[in-house]
Structures are given as structure tokens and as C-alpha cells.
Amino acid sequence: MNKILLSFLIIICSQVKSSPHLFQLIQSLSQSEKRYFRLFAGKHVIGGKNNYMILFDAMEKQEVFDEDRLKKLLNGEDALLRNLAYEKNYLYDMITDSLHVYHLNLSKESALKKQLHLIGILFEKGLYSQCHKQVKQVQQAGEGLEKYQYVYEALLWKKRLLMQRSYSGVSEKELQQVFAEMELATKKLSNYASYSNLSESLRYLIDTSGHIRSKKQRKKFDKVVKDPLLKRESGALSNSSKRIYNSIWMNYHFYTNGPLQKIIRHTTRELELLEATPALIDENPNLYIGVLGNIIITLLEQKNYTEARLYLKRLRMLPETLKVKLKENLLLKIFVLLYSQELTLYIESGSFDEVYNVIGDIESGLKQFEGKIGKTHAITIYYNLSYLYIGTGEYRKALQWLNKILMHKEMDAREDIVCFSRILQLIVYYELNDLEAIPYVLKSTYRYLLKRKRVYKGETILLEFIRRAASIRTKEELRNAYVVLKKELGKLTSDSFEKTLFVYFDFISWLESKIDGKKFSEVVKTKT
């Protein structure tokens, strides 16, 4: 192929590939990052604006990327338009360079990377005493933050400095000590990676299946925790690994419906380990946010709603109480954790009406973080809102949120929630007395459950009830049908797999409200 043609194709392909990426990068910048970029880019500007700054301003104005509209905005900038692909690539590199410099000193880990780079420069210049001082600082800081990859790199430089002086004045004991420290750093780093991999393996099962409903699912969960590293906490060689060990066991017991005391023990231990190292909270607030979320989940499992409300308030205030300013990804995590658990509290305590206090903030947050919220988290919030609106008797609103789940592009992100969303949809149509919709939804729901092998006893009983109840005409017959359904479902509450049905919706309380002519919320509150 002609070299000129090849070069042209590379440029065109680069343009096609880079345009959306460049737009996404510009849109992701915070105000302070944009301000810094302008200052950073200004150092390279002579006279007026350079082409890449004109391009930056034009792309920043767009809400949705549109190549044709961009070219119209650049009308008159002939030199820029002729080299648009090149200018886009140059701008992308310029922005990433500015981000690199901007974030260099924003975290202790970034500072460690900067110091290691400096060590290499000092070594090449022959400034070995200065190099040694920096190595010592990196090793100490790395150990304090439990970032053993940097400890190991520092020790490599320490060994190289000893070699540089031909081991003059170095005892064999001193050299062996360096070897031992390197080996320990490697072990701790490898140990942490192993625990992290186990944690992610369990998280995958949780995010794709939720609470276990079968022996097959249970086997997958059990396979993770049978790893020798999870026999006892002493297998974890660092504070960080110990936290992951406890997090794994907490999640395992929670999603396999294990003993509440074990969930509490591991959650409390995880928080204790984290608060023992305050520097880690400042360096990585993400960890602290996650642990606070686990504490709230545990308190909800205990039905300790008063204490749970205090921790929810603590989570809500975190952006103001932490020493560091939180980035958007962490504000997003707080939003997701806060409202998924706060809505759960309202559901479990029967405080359905409290949804009105937070729905405005939730809708604003969903709009603010649109496209950035993980599908699993979005679906969980939608489900909880639909549940609460069923509780308040606003079935049309419940249906709106359920439709957001069922019409989601990746609706199988949480297969368990999607399955129960279909069942709640049936309940909503039943409550609305929509006799035309019920047969169609009933049929499609059964097909969906059958295809995914999720037709358990509870689901079968509920689907059969709705099929029959749609044709019942007298109140007495309907009340009797509710009594029979409650009895049939009640038998499942002691079944370790079938009782998971009641994690997703309190069918027993809902039926009792129908039988006794009470509000759904009143019945739930009597049980808290």
C-alpha cells in the first residue's frame, strides 16, 4: 500500500476514534481542572490563541458531541479545519499532560510516584546522597500507606545505591537485611493482590446474581470462600489485606443469608482496622465510604434503624467533614450508597411516606450523574423507589420506575432484581385492576423466569394467585384467596433458598394489609 495513503488512513482512523474520546475527556474535567489546563496551555501560547485552545473552547460548549456542528463553530478557522485530526490528537495529549501535572501533588501516592521519578534523575546526575534521602522517605511513606509496590521500588534503588559504591562500608548483614525487606514487600504485595482477586470474584457473583436462590449459586459462593487464604485472618499480611478478608466474609454471609452475628463481627472489624490508620482514610476516602456503607447495611439487618439513620447522616455529611475535597467519582459513590440504603431503611421500617423527603434530591442526583452511575446501582435505586410507591399506593409512579428497569438496555445487570421487578409489575397491574394488561404481563413474566431458570416455588405460587385473582369478583372470595396465599407463602419462610423471596418484597405484610384492611405501612411498622 502507498505510504502516503497509509498515513492518510491512519489519520482518518485516529480522528474517528479520538473525537468522542476527546469530547468525553473535556466533559469530565472539573472546573478547577479546566482552570489549570488554561494556565498550563497558556505557557505554550504566543500572542493570541493557539488552534488547540480554539478547538477546546468549541468542544467545551457542546452538550452532545456533533462533528458537523463542531465544524460550523470553527467556521473561519481554515488552518485548524485543514489539520483537525492532528489538532484533536494534540489537544488530547495536552489535556492529559496537564492532568498529570495537576494531580501530581493531590495525593500521597502521586507524591510517591513523583519522588521515584526524581530518584532516577538524581541517580543519573550522580547525586547519590540526595538520592539516598529520597529513597528512605519513599520507603517509609510507602509502608505507612501500605503501598508495597513503592516500598519494593524504593528498596531496588537502595540496593542499586549499595552496588554503586561497590558495597564500600556495607556489611553482609546490612545487605541481607535489604534482601529480606524486598522479599517481605513482595510477599505483602502478592498477598494483597490475592485477597483483592478473591474479593472481586465474590463481587462478580453478587453483582450478577444477588442473594442466592439455589444450591448451584451457593456452590459458586462457597468455592470463593474455600480458598486457604480465607481460613483465618492471620493469613493476611497487612492491614489492607485484613480489611479485605473481613469484607469478603461479611459479603458472603450477607448474600448467603448467613448468621447476623457473623455479618456484624466482620463489618465492625473492618471499620476498626480502617480507623486504626487515619492516613489511609485521607489518602483513600473511597475505602471509608465503602466501610460506612457496610456498617449501614449491617445495622439495617439488625433492624437498628435509629443507629442506621445516624450513620446515614454521617455518610451524607462526609464531603464536608473529610479533610480532602472529594472528586466526582466519590460524590457519585456517596449518592449511590446513601440513597440505596436510605430507601431500604424506609422500606424495612414501613416509613414509605418518607420517600417524598428525598425524591427531589434523588432525581437531581440521577440527572447529575447520568451515564456515570453503574447499571447495578441505578437498577437498585429504581427498584426501591417503585417498592416505596407501591407502599404509598401510588401505583402509576411505581410503574414508571419499574419500567426504567425493564426497559434498561442492560436489564440483566442484576438478574434477581429484574425478575422481581417483573413480579412487582404484575402486582401493580393487579392493584390498578388492569385486566387487559395482566394476561399479557403474566405470560411474558413466566416465559422470562423459565428462560432464566428462576421459576422457584414462591414465584410459581404468586403467578398462579394473580392469574386466579384477576377473575375473582366478590370481596369475601378475594379475602379468602389472600388468606390461602399467605398460608402457602408462609411455608416458604423456613426454606433457606425460598425465603430469599421475602428479601425483595414483604409479601406477608402486604397480604396481611389486604386481609385486615390496613395500610401496608401500618402492618410493616408493627413488626419493627
Side-chain angles (χ1 to χ4, degrees):
M1 183 182 289
N2 184 288
K3 287 186 178 180
I4 295 175
L5 178 58
L6 180 60
S7 298
F8 175 76
L9 287 173
I10 290 171
I11 290 172
I12 294 299
C13 291
S14 175
Q15 180 178 354
V16 172
K17 181 182 178 183
S18 67
S19 294
H21 291 174
L22 175 59
F23 174 75
Q24 289 165 6
L25 179 63
I26 291 172
Q27 293 300 312
S28 74
L29 298 176
S30 65
Q31 288 303 316
S32 58
E33 287 171 337
K34 287 178 183 177
R35 189 163 50 250
Y36 184 82
F37 170 69
R38 292 183 188 281
L39 291 170
F40 181 85
K43 296 175 184 178
H44 304 273
V45 175
I46 300 173
K49 283 187 176 180
N50 280 354
N51 282 342
Y52 60 82
M53 282 308 301
I54 295 171
L55 179 59
F56 177 86
D57 291 338
M59 293 191 77
E60 186 188 13
K61 290 174 184 175
Q62 291 193 314
E63 291 184 6
V64 178
F65 180 70
D66 185 329
E67 184 79 12
D68 293 333
R69 187 168 177 272
L70 177 64
K71 288 178 179 177
K72 287 180 182 179
L73 288 171
L74 297 173
N75 187 34
E77 301 292 343
D78 296 339
L80 195 161
L81 287 169
R82 278 197 305 271
N83 300 291
L84 189 55
Y86 169 80
E87 295 293 353
K88 283 180 180 178
N89 288 330
Y90 189 88
L91 176 57
Y92 190 95
D93 290 340
M94 181 69 77
I95 294 172
T96 53
D97 284 346
S98 77
L99 285 172
H100 172 72
V101 178
Y102 177 78
H103 286 273
L104 263 181
N105 295 310
L106 288 185
S107 72
K108 291 178 182 177
E109 185 171 359
S110 295
L112 287 177
K113 292 177 182 177
K114 182 181 175 181
Q115 272 187 289
L116 283 166
H117 185 230
L118 177 60
I119 288 168
I121 295 170
L122 294 173
F123 188 88
E124 291 300 320
K125 289 182 174 293
L127 302 173
Y128 303 123
S129 60
Q130 293 182 41
C131 197
H132 179 76
K133 182 181 178 181
Q134 295 291 331
V135 166
K136 188 175 180 181
Q137 289 177 357
V138 171
Q139 185 181 349
Q140 289 175 344
E143 287 172 347
L145 294 172
E146 296 194 339
K147 300 289 184 181
Y148 294 105
Q149 63 271 40
Y150 303 119
V151 174
Y152 183 77
E153 283 192 59
L155 289 165
L156 280 174
W157 279 110
K158 189 174 184 178
K159 185 174 71 168
R160 191 171 177 183
L161 285 166
L162 295 178
M163 290 169 61
Q164 183 277 327
R165 56 197 260 203
S166 300
Y167 303 107
S168 176
V170 179
S171 67
E172 186 178 351
K173 184 179 179 181
E174 185 180 351
L175 182 61
Q176 291 300 323
Q177 177 64 27
V178 174
F179 295 161
E181 288 175 348
M182 290 179 73
E183 189 175 344
L184 181 59
T186 304
K187 281 183 179 178
K188 287 184 175 181
L189 184 57
S190 175
N191 183 256
Y192 176 82
S194 296
Y195 277 103
S196 180
N197 290 341
L198 287 169
S199 178
E200 290 305 315
S201 296
L202 187 64
R203 174 49 56 188
Y204 173 80
L205 295 176
I206 291 167
D207 284 349
T208 53
S209 62
H211 290 267
I212 63 164
R213 296 294 307 277
S214 66
K215 290 180 180 179
K216 185 179 178 181
Q217 287 177 320
R218 179 62 182 253
K219 282 181 180 179
K220 290 180 179 179
F221 276 72
D222 288 348
K223 184 180 178 182
V224 175
V225 297
K226 281 180 180 177
D227 190 282
L229 284 173
L230 295 173
K231 283 187 176 180
R232 54 188 68 85
E233 191 186 272
S234 58
L237 302 180
S238 65
N239 185 299
S240 298
S241 295
K242 287 175 183 177
R243 285 199 314 275
I244 297 176
Y245 167 90
N246 284 282
S247 176
I248 290 170
W249 278 113
M250 186 281 291
N251 280 306
Y252 171 79
H253 290 304
F254 181 78
Y255 284 96
T256 59
N257 305 308
L260 181 57
Q261 288 306 314
K262 288 188 177 181
I263 297 172
I264 295 167
R265 187 177 79 227
H266 289 295
T267 308
T268 306
R269 175 62 175 154
E270 190 182 2
L271 182 63
E272 176 189 306
L273 286 163
L274 185 56
E275 292 187 332
T277 50
L280 278 177
I281 296 175
D282 293 336
E283 176 65 15
N284 192 351
N286 183 41
L287 280 174
Y288 195 53
I289 293 167
V291 174
L292 283 179
N294 289 341
I295 288 286
I296 293 166
I297 291 170
T298 305
L299 290 169
L300 292 177
E301 282 291 302
Q302 289 179 280
K303 299 189 183 301
N304 187 345
Y305 303 124
T306 302
E307 195 74 13
R309 284 180 185 271
L310 293 176
Y311 273 93
L312 282 166
K313 184 178 180 181
R314 192 167 162 182
L315 185 59
R316 183 180 278 106
M317 298 298 294
L318 213 53
E320 298 168 27
T321 55
L322 282 174
K323 293 179 182 178
V324 293
K325 187 176 180 180
L326 297 179
K327 297 175 185 175
E328 188 182 38
N329 66 314
L330 294 183
L331 293 174
L332 169 58
K333 183 170 184 175
I334 289 174
F335 171 79
V336 166
L337 273 175
L338 176 63
Y339 290 111
S340 59
Q341 298 311 316
E342 191 158 20
L343 294 179
T344 299
L345 185 149
Y346 298 159
I347 289 168
E348 293 185 0
S349 63
S351 306
F352 300 147
D353 289 341
E354 288 198 59
V355 68
Y356 303 125
N357 299 333
V358 296
I359 187 61
D361 290 336
I362 291 173
E363 288 179 329
S364 295
L366 289 171
K367 186 175 181 181
Q368 178 187 349
F369 298 116
E370 188 176 1
K372 297 175 182 176
I373 300 178
K375 48 188 178 289
T376 298
H377 296 129
I379 286 171
T380 302
I381 291 174
Y382 298 161
Y383 185 86
N384 284 346
L385 285 170
S386 63
Y387 191 134
L388 287 166
Y389 280 123
I390 289 173
T392 62
E394 294 180 83
Y395 301 113
R396 293 292 178 192
K397 286 187 177 179
L399 199 57
Q400 286 174 12
W401 290 103
L402 286 171
N403 285 338
K404 284 181 180 289
I405 298 172
L406 300 177
M407 295 171 69
H408 202 284
K409 289 179 182 178
E410 298 178 72
M411 60 187 291
D412 283 345
R414 275 292 299 271
E415 191 177 87
D416 55 327
I417 291 180
V418 175
C419 288
F420 278 96
S421 294
R422 286 179 169 272
I423 290 170
L424 289 197
Q425 185 187 40
L426 269 171
I427 288 174
V428 167
Y429 280 123
Y430 170 73
E431 293 283 18
L432 290 170
N433 197 31
D434 192 336
L435 300 180
E436 288 185 13
I438 288 174
Y440 168 75
V441 177
L442 194 64
K443 190 175 181 180
S444 66
T445 298
Y446 186 79
R447 276 202 310 264
Y448 180 87
L449 296 176
L450 190 65
K451 185 178 179 181
R452 283 152 183 80
K453 299 179 181 179
R454 295 188 74 97
V455 186
Y456 301 106
K457 290 179 185 176
E459 283 85 337
T460 302
I461 291 169
L462 282 165
L463 295 182
E464 179 59 24
F465 165 78
I466 291 172
R467 187 187 67 78
R468 286 186 288 104
S471 60
I472 294 175
R473 292 289 174 264
T474 70
K475 289 184 178 179
E476 187 61 31
E477 283 182 311
L478 190 57
R479 186 180 182 280
N480 290 337
Y482 287 138
V483 172
V484 171
L485 177 60
K486 181 191 170 188
K487 187 177 180 181
E488 288 179 335
L489 291 179
K491 295 175 183 177
L492 305 180
T493 56
S494 57
D495 187 306
S496 60
F497 294 124
E498 290 291 339
K499 71 179 182 180
T500 303
L501 174 79
F502 307 104
V503 170
Y504 297 93
F505 192 79
D506 190 349
F507 291 101
I508 300 297
S509 294
W510 177 69
L511 286 168
E512 288 174 355
S513 73
K514 298 293 184 185
I515 294 166
D516 300 331
K518 294 181 179 179
K519 283 186 175 182
F520 186 12
S521 58
E522 286 179 23
V523 178
V524 176
K525 284 177 180 177
T526 61
K527 299 178 181 181
T528 59

